[in-house]
Each structure stands twice: as structure tokens, then as C-alpha cells.
Amino acid sequence: MSYVDEVIEQVEKQNPNEPEFHQAVREVLESIRVVVDQNEEKFRRDALLERLVNPERQIKFRVPWIDDHGQVHVNTGYRVQFNSAIGPYKGGLRLHPSVNLSIIKFLGFEQIFKNSLTGLPIGGGKGGSDFDPKGKSDREVMAFCQAFMSELCKYIGANTDVPAGDIGTGAREIGYMYGQYKKLRGLFEGVLTGKGISYGGSLARTEATGYGLLYLTEEMLRCHGQDMEGKTVSVSGAGNVAIYAIEKAEQMGAKVVTCSDSTGWVYDPDGIDVAALKEIKEVKRQRLTEYKKYRPKAEYRVGKGVWSVKTDIALPCATQNELNLEDAKKLVANGVLAVCEGANMPTTEEATKYFQDHGVYFVPGKAANAGGVATSALEMSQDSERLAWTFERVNSELNAIMVRLYHNIDDAAKKYGFEGNYVVGANIAGFEKVVDAMNAQGIV
Ligand code: NDP
Ligand code: 2IT
């Protein structure tokens, strides 16, 4: 049996009931098979793949907090410190009732390669909790965040592990966590990114993931003789990534006609009104049902449906496995040109293959959404030098990083004979840098 197959089998056996983690490992190891085969003897002797798929450390802890009625709740907190070969662990904190170890491990594993692709010195990690911020008062969210950080603060630091936002963790949550870290550790340092501008955050971090997704998409289209101008776009999600993807796509002259949340989706034939979306989601924290009040001609439908709309470009920006084979068939039948993942692993394995087999330009999340973490690394730089860069400077560095990243994955795919396969390109390019660093540092 090949080394790759052996390790995939081992991962499935040693980590039962972790389907998302298995899925992420399968995708990466299948993609790098060609590189591993060329170095099989050395990699096997060094147990390189075993070291890659086993987190350096995983922390699981109790998070007790008190609600507004005096009731105590206990949630579970996680931080998986996956790989520090190229820099301090870096990756977001997800707060969502679906969070479990499988999800945090899949996200942490993806983060290793994504962070490597940014070209910046950041290792891979991820964390979070099964706490649901929806419907909680500000005080309850603060109580949770303080309890969560009371434990997490023992394991993180500006030079060891730097968490950030993800689903359910935005500026409010990062603020409460930062305050608690500072109180307990007595350190005003860049231990979290996505901070407010008044206390060490970076301009353009809020916009970075969505904007970066569009910078990469535009560059890819340009290399195929196209651009965003005049294209129709479907976006899923209505959170941080979706909002700024919509904003940038519209600035580039495209028309975005959909967005969604976990209860339903909006079809706006005139193009999504981003100002209305921000008001609903960022300010009032309401459901998308409110959108019709701002745009009477738009339609709101309960359930799932974004991928049934005919558009040129699809940008899944909500959550993992939200775009399945059936959705992929509809998108292809409707002539979709490109699918670029704003979310982490939103496309199932079958759907990814279907896109690739039908000539759709498909860019995986670890490349397409890397602008968020790249800008987090720029925030770390600003915190270290105790300076704040202008919006224009951060934004233009982000643009340059995404353009470079696209060419890096495109070149890697070509080098190994997989031209146009950006999944293979991203995994190989991300892997090569990490392996180089792991080899140089010996067996640790
Ligand atoms: P937000 O919490 O801001 O928004 C998430 C959006 O996705 C919401 O509209 C939410 O709807 C929807 N959603 C979440 N879970 C589900 C679900 N199980 N079913 C249906 N809809 C769901 O998160 P972000 O925008 O930050 O994150 C979105 C994706 O992008 C995630 O995959 C994240 O890992 C990834 N990502 C985020 C980065 C960042 O910088 N924030 C960077 C790179 C990737 P509802 O509000 O109803 O739950
Ligand atoms: O998935 C991701 O890359 C993020 N949620 C952002 C991580 C970060 O450290 O900014």
C-alpha cells in the first residue's frame, strides 16, 4: 500500500467519528500524492505524514458561565495547536453549537497550508466552542468570552499562538476576550487579531477575507481572459466573509444577486444592497427576513436555494459542506464559470470533482479565503512595531498577497502536470514550505 493510503487509513482508524477531519486530510494527502511518491522512502522513515496529521497539541476545556437569570451553563472549549513549523500557531475561534473536535481539527489542519500559502510566518491552529452567541444578551456573551479566555490564556501569547475570529466570533467577542486576557496576563500584546482599531487592530482586517477572495478571483479570471465586470454572482452566507465579498464584487462591477443565513436566502435581481445587509447583520444582528423591508422587490425564501440561481460566479461563504453534488450539477447546468470558496471546505468532495470534471475554475478555500489570515499577520506586524498602517497600505498589501498566491498555486499545479487544478496546486504549494521547515528543524 502506498504511504499516502496507509496514512489516510490510519487517520480514519485513530480518529473515529471525525468525518470533517478525515475529509480535509483526504483532500490534502490525495493532492500531494505526486510529491510524496517522489520522496516516499525519506518521508516514510521520517514519519513525515504522521507528524503532519497529528496536532502538536490539542486542548479541551470546560467553560462555565452564568446567564441573565442566574442559571449556570457549561460549554466545551477547544484549541488545537496543529503545526508551528513556520510560525506561531494562527487561526480563528469558532463559536457555533455544531462545534466539536472533528470540526476544529479539520479547520486547524486546513489552516496549516492556508497560512503557508500567504507567504507570511504563521503556523496553523484553530479553536472555538459549542456556545451559540445567537439570541444572547451582550452581558451573556461577555460572561462566556471571559470564562473561555480564563482558561485559554494559559496556552496562547503573541509569540506562541494568536487566535482570531471565525463563525460567531466577531469584533464584539474579540474585544471581550482581549480585555480578559489583558486582565489575567497583564500583557498588552498582539495575542488576538481582528481587534478594534482603538486597541491595536488593523484597518481592513474586517474587509480582508471577502476583499481578498475577490482579488484572487479577479486575478484568476484575468489570466483566463475575463474579469468581474458585468458578471452575475451568487454568494451564500450573510456574515463577515459574505458581506465584504459582496461589497468588493459590486465595486468591481459585478452584480451579486443572492445571500443567505441559516434559516433562508435572499434573491435580489437588482443586486444585493450591502448597506442594508450591514445594517441588518452587523448593527441589528437580525435575520435575513428583514431584508425585504429595505428592498421590496427582493424575494426571501425559507431553507436552502442559493445554488439554484443562474449566475456566472459562485462564492460559497457560509460553512463546510454547504454545496453538494446536486448543487454543483445545477450550477454547471446553468453555465457557472468559476467557484471560489470564501468559507472553509464549503464544497463536498463529490461536488469539487464534478466542477473540475466540467471545466469550472475551482479555487479551494485555503487559497481563496487566505486574505483574512494574511491580514491578521499584517495586524501582528503592526502590533510588533507599535504602529498602525493606513487602510490603503493594508489593502494594497492584501491585494498583492492574493495575486502572488494565485500565481503560486497556478505554477505549482503546472509544475506537477495538473494545470488548472487549483486544489492540487494549493495543497502542494502550501505543503512544500511546511515540509521544508519541518525537515530543517529535525524531529520535534
Ligand atoms: P459569520 O459568523 O460572520 O457568518 C457566518 C454566516 O454563515 C452566517 O450568515 C451564518 O448564518 C451562516 N452559517 C453559519 N453556519 C451555518 C450553518 N451550519 N448552516 C447555514 N448557514 C450557516 O462567519 P464568517 O463570515 O467569519 O465565516 C464564514 C466562513 O468563512 C466560515 O467557513 C469561516 O471558517 C470562513 N472564514 C472566515 C474568515 C474570517 O476572517 N472571518 C477567514 C477565512 C475563512 P446564521 O447567522 O444564521 O448562523
Ligand atoms: O479560517 C480562517 O482563516 C480564519 N477564520 C481567520 C484566521 C485568522 O487568524 O485571522
Side-chain angles (χ1 to χ4, degrees):
M1 196 190 269
S2 79
Y3 184 34
V4 162
D5 291 322
E6 238 172 67
V7 175
I8 291 177
E9 202 179 286
Q10 229 179 67
V11 165
E12 293 178 347
K13 211 161 113 202
Q14 292 175 352
N15 306 272
N17 309 315
E18 295 185 4
E20 294 86 1
F21 180 51
H22 300 170
Q23 185 181 340
V25 168
R26 265 197 309 271
E27 184 212 282
V28 171
L29 295 198
E30 289 294 354
S31 296
I32 60 171
R33 191 184 282 278
V34 47
V35 183
V36 177
D37 285 352
Q38 287 174 10
N39 300 278
E40 175 146 349
E41 205 182 319
K42 176 175 167 42
F43 282 2
R44 207 190 262 276
R45 191 186 59 232
D46 291 349
L48 184 91
L49 295 183
E50 287 87 338
R51 285 188 288 137
L52 198 66
V53 299
N54 278 290
E56 290 176 19
R57 191 174 300 102
Q58 57 191 45
I59 301 144
K60 182 176 176 193
F61 51 97
R62 183 179 81 187
V63 188
W65 58 278
I66 306 173
D67 74 16
D68 288 345
H69 310 286
Q71 176 65 50
V72 176
H73 299 264
V74 178
N75 285 102
T76 304
Y78 302 90
R79 186 72 184 166
V80 174
Q81 299 180 328
F82 226 116
N83 191 301
S84 62
I86 65 172
Y89 310 106
K90 182 86 197 80
L93 296 170
R94 179 173 292 190
L95 300 182
H96 193 273
S98 64
V99 163
N100 57 35
L101 191 57
S102 174
I103 288 180
I104 299 300
K105 280 171 68 180
F106 115 65
L107 290 163
F109 188 67
E110 287 285 286
Q111 202 82 45
I112 303 170
F113 307 98
K114 181 195 305 192
N115 293 3
S116 166
L117 287 172
T118 65
L120 300 167
I122 39 180
K126 199 83 186 192
S129 173
D130 56 0
F131 173 77
D132 186 0
K134 260 192 228 107
K136 305 287 191 300
S137 69
D138 276 356
R139 198 213 57 83
E140 288 173 331
V141 169
M142 181 170 72
F144 169 82
C145 289
Q146 291 179 341
F148 182 77
M149 186 51 84
S150 296
E151 183 61 24
L152 187 67
C153 75
K154 299 169 190 167
Y155 310 103
I156 62 175
N159 293 307
T160 51
D161 184 354
V162 182
D166 193 78
I167 290 178
T169 307
R172 174 181 61 171
E173 291 74 18
I174 292 290
Y176 292 146
M177 289 182 195
Y178 192 74
Q180 185 73 352
Y181 179 86
K182 185 159 57 74
K183 177 173 172 165
L184 294 175
R185 298 288 301 271
L187 296 169
F188 196 107
E189 60 170 6
V191 67
L192 294 168
T193 59
K195 299 186 293 300
I197 303 305
S198 56
Y199 62 96
S202 173
L203 288 164
R205 175 62 188 89
T206 304
E207 295 84 353
T209 310
Y211 278 22
L213 172 66
L214 269 298
Y215 294 146
L216 182 138
T217 304
E218 175 83 340
E219 180 65 10
M220 178 185 65
L221 290 178
R222 199 185 61 75
C223 293
H224 291 285
Q226 310 251 4
D227 60 28
M228 287 300 294
E229 173 92 44
K231 296 282 187 301
T232 52
V233 182
S234 41
V235 167
S236 65
N240 173 263
V241 179
I243 289 172
Y244 293 95
I246 296 170
E247 182 168 282
K248 184 52 73 180
E250 293 183 346
Q251 285 172 10
M252 289 176 165
K255 184 156 84 170
V256 183
V257 292
T258 67
C259 62
S260 65
D261 63 16
S262 53
T263 41
W265 62 287
V266 161
Y267 173 67
D268 189 338
D270 298 329
I272 297 290
D273 179 343
V274 186
L277 195 60
K278 285 184 186 174
E279 177 79 9
I280 296 165
K281 287 293 174 184
E282 294 184 336
V283 181
K284 296 186 172 157
R285 298 181 187 276
Q286 291 171 328
R287 312 304 304 158
L288 269 184
T289 38
E290 300 300 307
Y291 187 81
K292 247 182 117 51
K293 292 185 185 153
Y294 297 79
R295 303 275 280 190
K297 275 200 257 161
E299 294 167 33
Y300 175 83
R301 292 177 199 156
V302 175
K304 201 184 140 165
V306 162
W307 311 128
S308 59
V309 176
K310 178 174 165 53
T311 53
D312 303 313
I313 315 266
L315 305 174
C317 297
T319 193
Q320 66 275 354
N321 293 326
E322 53 159 310
L323 197 168
N324 60 28
L325 181 58
E326 209 180 299
D327 301 321
K329 286 182 176 167
K330 279 187 215 153
L331 284 165
V332 169
N334 280 329
V336 77
L337 178 68
V339 177
C340 300
E341 295 186 325
N344 285 308
M345 209 169 77
T347 313
T348 64
E349 286 165 294
E350 299 77 22
T352 302
K353 182 154 190 321
Y354 193 82
F355 287 136
Q356 291 173 328
D357 290 347
H358 288 80
V360 176
Y361 306 136
F362 177 85
V363 187
K366 63 170 68 71
N369 71 37
V373 76
T375 306
S376 278
L378 301 180
E379 182 172 333
M380 290 165 71
S381 300
Q382 293 168 72
D383 289 346
S384 294
E385 62 178 13
R386 300 192 191 285
L387 290 173
W389 304 349
T390 61
F391 186 94
E392 291 68 30
R393 175 168 175 196
V394 180
N395 190 33
S396 88
E397 295 223 7
L398 167 64
N399 196 340
I401 288 167
M402 297 312 289
V403 168
R404 237 182 356 248
L405 195 161
Y406 169 73
H407 289 283
N408 187 12
I409 67 172
D410 188 40
D411 291 347
K414 285 178 182 153
K415 181 175 154 195
Y416 285 93
F418 290 89
E419 181 163 358
N421 187 332
Y422 302 119
V423 174
V424 166
N427 284 317
I428 291 180
F431 173 75
E432 284 188 327
K433 180 177 172 186
V434 174
V435 167
D436 188 61
M438 285 174 74
N439 282 336
Q441 292 172 38
I443 307 302
V444 290

